[in-house]
Amino acid sequence: MRLIILDNVYPPAEDSWQTAEVLGWVLENYVGGSGTLRIIDVGSGTGILTLTAIEKAVSKGINAWVISIDYDVNASINTRLNLINNRLYSYADVLSTRTLDAIKNNARLKVIVSNPPYLPGDWLEDWRVFGGSQGNEVIKQIVNYACGNRVDIVVLTQSSLSNWEETVELMGMCNYKLVVVKTSHYFFEDIITMVFITS
């Protein structure tokens, strides 16, 4: 994977690589069969999760289609550049929009993956890292979409500072089962990547 990182775009960090690792594991162990694998990458940034999804699917001989979404136009441009640079552009559509606003209901998605802004703070101050006053406003939007549209698999990364236990509770209330949790400790927080599957 060759990455171009534009100025003002969230560069891949520990949370990005952890999410990519878990996503790769999910696609290796939970995805197969015929048809098109439909994935949404919410908050695509440089496109690392989009590229991971496509590369893993192609290596398994699966036809993949990824919708890469980011609120930041610069991030959407960065995702496009990296798709082109890795010769994977034909497998994805890139949108600049707020979370899942542009995705119609009942879109028959297999996977939602996101390493969203999850630190508590003013989203308008820096949307790349702050996810609202509690840090989980973007995450709740993803949860609401997944629950309302019965997406098969949801891969979410969150901070221990942004009430990840509430995410587990909300997903459980709409019959998602938590099947994997990967945690890494950095300085003042734990980075938690969770995999939910419809039960």
Side-chain angles (χ1 to χ4, degrees):
M1 182 184 302
R2 299 181 304 253
L3 286 180
I4 298 167
I5 303 172
L6 299 180
D7 290 341
N8 299 320
V9 175
Y10 183 79
E14 291 86 357
D15 54 352
S16 311
W17 297 114
Q18 178 171 300
T19 309
E21 178 187 350
V22 172
L23 175 62
W25 182 87
V26 165
L27 296 179
E28 184 65 37
N29 292 282
Y30 282 92
V31 171
S34 59
T36 299
L37 172 62
R38 293 178 173 87
I39 300 172
I40 290 190
D41 174 7
V42 181
S44 62
T46 61
I48 181 176
L49 300 178
T50 294
L51 295 170
T52 297
I54 295 169
E55 287 179 348
K56 179 60 77 172
V58 168
S59 73
K60 290 184 69 177
I62 296 171
N63 185 26
W65 177 55
V66 180
I67 301 174
S68 301
I69 297 172
D70 205 293
Y71 177 79
D72 182 11
V73 173
N74 291 322
S76 294
I77 291 169
N78 206 158
T79 297
R80 282 189 182 99
L81 286 173
N82 283 319
L83 283 162
I84 292 166
N85 194 37
N86 287 273
R87 298 182 178 166
L88 297 172
Y89 193 70
S90 62
Y91 295 96
D93 286 315
V94 182
L95 304 176
S96 186
T97 183
R98 189 177 75 88
T99 58
L100 292 150
D101 288 353
I103 307 304
K104 68 179 182 178
N105 290 330
N106 302 313
R108 300 179 66 187
L109 302 170
K110 181 71 175 178
V111 179
I112 290 178
V113 61
S114 186
N115 177 26
Y118 51 63
L119 290 179
D122 187 351
W123 187 78
L124 294 175
E125 183 181 332
D126 188 345
W127 61 83
R128 298 171 303 169
V129 295
F130 294 123
S133 61
Q134 302 300 311
N136 60 1
E137 290 181 18
V138 176
I139 290 163
K140 284 182 177 179
Q141 292 171 28
I142 295 168
V143 168
N144 287 338
Y145 184 91
C147 289
N149 291 279
R150 305 310 302 157
V151 177
D152 292 348
I153 302 169
V154 180
V155 181
L156 285 175
T157 294
Q158 195 167 345
S159 169
S160 58
L161 302 175
S162 59
N163 198 359
W164 69 277
E165 296 93 343
E166 182 182 23
T167 302
V168 175
E169 181 181 346
L170 291 171
M171 292 294 280
M173 287 170 61
C174 53
N175 298 316
Y176 278 90
K177 179 180 173 184
L178 178 64
V179 295
V180 173
V181 177
K182 181 173 177 67
T183 304
S184 301
H185 184 74
Y186 298 100
F187 304 110
F188 53 87
E189 66 179 331
D190 291 328
I191 303 300
I192 302 151
T193 301
M194 302 165 283
V195 178
F196 299 94
I197 296 180
T198 50
S199 56

